[in-house]
Amino acid sequence: MNLENISQAKVFGGWHKQYTHTSTALDCDMRFAIFLPPNATKETPVPVVYWLSGLTCTDENFMQKAGAFRKAAELGIAIVAPDTSPRGDKVPDDPNGAYDFGLGAGFYLNATQAPWSGHYQMYSYIVDELPNLIEAHFPVTQQRAISGHSMGGHGALTIGLKHPDSFCSISAFSPIVNPMNCPWGKKAFHHYLGDDRTTWAQYDSVELLKTQSSIPPILIDQGDSDSFLTEQLQPEKLMAAAEQTGHVIELRMQTGYDHSYFFIQSFIEEHLDFHATHLFPNTDDE
Amino acid sequence: MNLENISQAKVFGGWHKQYTHTSTALDCDMRFAIFLPPNATKETPVPVVYWLSGLTCTDENFMQKAGAFRKAAELGIAIVAPDTSPRGDKVPDDPNGAYDFGLGAGFYLNATQAPWSGHYQMYSYIVDELPNLIEAHFPVTQQRAISGHSMGGHGALTIGLKHPDSFCSISAFSPIVNPMNCPWGKKAFHHYLGDDRTTWAQYDSVELLKTQSSIPPILIDQGDSDSFLTEQLQPEKLMAAAEQTGHVIELRMQTGYDHSYFFIQSFIEEHLDFHATHLFPNTDDE
């Protein structure tokens, strides 16, 4: 199987479509979803925002609940939402079925430890395989931005920071910014990566910030009523690292908002506007 | 239990909240959700759009997937989404667990036949009990509009047509307009109401239209790629009845759209604008 269309629905004049394909990087069949705005044609390809979801999610959570298509249709931006881990019967899962490790919890890294390393290569999938597939088969340009929520905010930040030439802007909702030092991250990194903290640092936004000479534009929204704020998310650590390294990151603490898609839908249009200013850099000059 | 708040999340400056309560009409515990826009206060109460969902849904489908809150917050309109049937262990269900009858499929009528009549009284619940509860406990006015999808479009049309003094405007997505003459409706009406078709006619929009001297403003959107269009929905029957009786109904056939929430989210803002013109009748004069 390579690239099989399994659903499509018209939305805001564009199309939401789901596909399955066989992933080389992950060694399993994967599903992703794409939103194509009404103006996306072979003759007029559009840029892409890659959306990385959080723990337990699939391609469907963002596409069904974020309310992003009205603005994406208006701006002329495609959105691609991959799954959050390799999938299938042959893919190992947390032996206790925990929600925060294994299936649905790939943490956007390349695992080095057995039995995880055979399939859990989400970093390579998001950085290389998926964009190449999208750009080969859909009416899109090579202009890319990246965004995500929670574990997916961690994925967007780490991947965006390491690949400024591939992704022109980064945004995140409620990201895990310092997985090396929070319970979710420590559990996942221990199993996927072993116990060498220099390897961990390659997937930690706070640590990556210290190694970059320049960074893409970054917008982060964080609800101050998010129940994971203090123990897992800790955006203040990213801001401290930014200040220490002289990098500029916009963090907006949003009063009263929690960790849910109700929070995401409240601000996703502003994130798309933010990415549009970088995906369409010449708009103001025309 | 009466009126227990079980969840709340800030969204677009307002609040999405879920409540449970013991329903007298349905003789069971029920859950509903309410969106309150930012300007809803005891001093400045807001009007309410009641949203009735389709087969298999609960209060959550619309609230999570319709993308309605941006516009509702802007307009200052509350939205109430009830469940689609009585619920609980003591409530009888389709013996085969069918999706189109029993739990999740109350059809917004008052059942007359055993064993359904003890709990399946969704008509009374929507017409009387729920609005009274909402108006007693939340910062809302008595200005109401009603809308819904599929089976809920049937509910919105029939209830709105029978209670023009309670609901100032009606809208529907993909409604079942002539349940007496489609498979979903015939199955449900047979079990809930017995086989007297004069009883059926009390819950059939096409038949009700013929008995009304005047009707509220009605807006209907229907996708022409809806797989249920020909067999179950048949909006042309409602338009024929409207023409025959001299009533005006706006039906918009939307090219390429299906029966999903992707369709609903594409046009829900226009429905809220439509209801706003009737919920705020003096806006233009101010």
Side-chain angles (χ1 to χ4, degrees), chain A residues 52 147-158 170-179 182 184 205 218-223 226 228-229 232-236 238 249-253 259 263 271:
Chain A
L52 306 184
S147 183
H149 174 233
S150 196
M151 177 184 74
H154 145 75
L157 285 167
T158 52
I170 306 170
S171 78
F173 292 82
S174 333
I176 304 170
V177 300
N178 190 202
C182 79
W184 280 340
S205 297
I218 298 178
L219 171 64
I220 298 174
D221 273 317
Q222 172 65 57
D226 185 326
F228 301 114
L229 178 56
Q232 306 281 7
L233 306 177
Q234 307 169 315
E236 69 281 0
L238 188 69
I249 292 177
E250 185 175 10
L251 167 66
R252 309 190 302 188
M253 293 301 294
H259 200 68
F263 170 48
H271 284 233

Side-chain angles (χ1 to χ4, degrees), chain A residues 9-13 15-16 63-65 69-70 255-258 262 265-266 269, chain B residues 9-13 15-16 63-65 69-70 255-258 262 265-266 269:
Chain A
K10 193 170 177 181
V11 57
F12 283 102
W15 290 92
H16 172 270
M63 293 307 212
Q64 295 184 356
K65 298 181 178 180
F69 301 148
R70 191 188 78 95
T255 307
Y257 287 90
D258 67 12
F262 292 121
Q265 69 175 250
S266 301
E269 296 201 349
Chain B
K10 194 170 177 181
V11 57
F12 284 102
W15 291 91
H16 173 270
M63 293 309 213
Q64 294 184 355
K65 297 182 178 180
F69 302 147
R70 191 189 78 94
T255 306
Y257 288 89
D258 67 12
F262 292 121
Q265 70 176 249
S266 301
E269 296 200 350

Side-chain angles (χ1 to χ4, degrees), chain A residues 36-90:
Chain A
L36 288 166
N39 66 320
T41 67
K42 231 178 234 185
E43 294 70 37
T44 58
V46 299
V48 181
V49 171
Y50 287 84
W51 173 268
L52 306 184
S53 285
L55 291 167
T56 77
C57 291
T58 68
D59 65 293
E60 294 189 333
N61 304 66
F62 179 84
M63 293 307 212
Q64 295 184 356
K65 298 181 178 180
F69 301 148
R70 191 188 78 95
K71 175 62 82 173
E74 178 189 306
L75 293 170
I77 292 176
I79 302 174
V80 172
D83 207 339
T84 55
S85 78
R87 296 282 180 178
D89 291 344
K90 64 181 183 176

Side-chain angles (χ1 to χ4, degrees), chain A residues 11-223:
Chain A
V11 57
F12 283 102
W15 290 92
H16 172 270
K17 301 185 179 195
Q18 288 176 299
Y19 290 85
T20 53
H21 73 115
T22 303
S23 164
T24 307
L26 304 172
D27 190 22
C28 64
D29 293 341
M30 292 293 284
R31 190 178 72 194
F32 69 85
I34 185 168
F35 169 75
L36 288 166
N39 66 320
T41 67
K42 231 178 234 185
E43 294 70 37
T44 58
V46 299
V48 181
V49 171
Y50 287 84
W51 173 268
L52 306 184
S53 285
L55 291 167
T56 77
C57 291
T58 68
D59 65 293
E60 294 189 333
N61 304 66
F62 179 84
M63 293 307 212
Q64 295 184 356
K65 298 181 178 180
F69 301 148
R70 191 188 78 95
K71 175 62 82 173
E74 178 189 306
L75 293 170
I77 292 176
I79 302 174
V80 172
D83 207 339
T84 55
S85 78
R87 296 282 180 178
D89 291 344
K90 64 181 183 176
V91 176
D93 192 11
D94 183 288
N96 303 314
Y99 76 97
D100 58 0
F101 180 70
L103 296 181
F107 272 85
Y108 305 102
L109 51 73
N110 283 348
T112 59
Q113 305 297 303
W116 315 106
S117 53
H119 296 285
Y120 285 81
Q121 304 288 318
M122 287 295 290
Y123 175 78
S124 292
Y125 181 68
I126 301 298
V127 171
D128 292 320
E129 187 176 12
L130 184 63
N132 290 339
L133 185 79
I134 296 296
E135 288 161 17
H137 292 92
F138 296 94
V140 301
T141 67
Q142 291 187 319
Q143 284 290 100
R144 308 168 186 163
I146 193 162
S147 183
H149 174 233
S150 196
M151 177 184 74
H154 145 75
L157 285 167
T158 52
I159 288 171
L161 284 169
K162 289 163 87 163
H163 298 279
D165 295 340
S166 295
F167 300 96
C168 67
S169 47
I170 306 170
S171 78
F173 292 82
S174 333
I176 304 170
V177 300
N178 190 202
M180 290 179 67
N181 293 308
C182 79
W184 280 340
K186 285 196 272 191
K187 175 180 177 182
F189 284 15
H190 164 72
H191 290 293
Y192 289 136
L193 301 173
D195 289 324
D196 178 356
R197 288 177 65 92
T198 60
T199 310
W200 291 21
Q202 296 171 30
Y203 299 105
D204 187 289
S205 297
V206 166
E207 293 304 315
L208 286 169
L209 207 56
K210 299 175 186 169
T211 70
Q212 307 294 309
S213 55
S214 73
I215 64 171
I218 298 178
L219 171 64
I220 298 174
D221 273 317
Q222 172 65 57

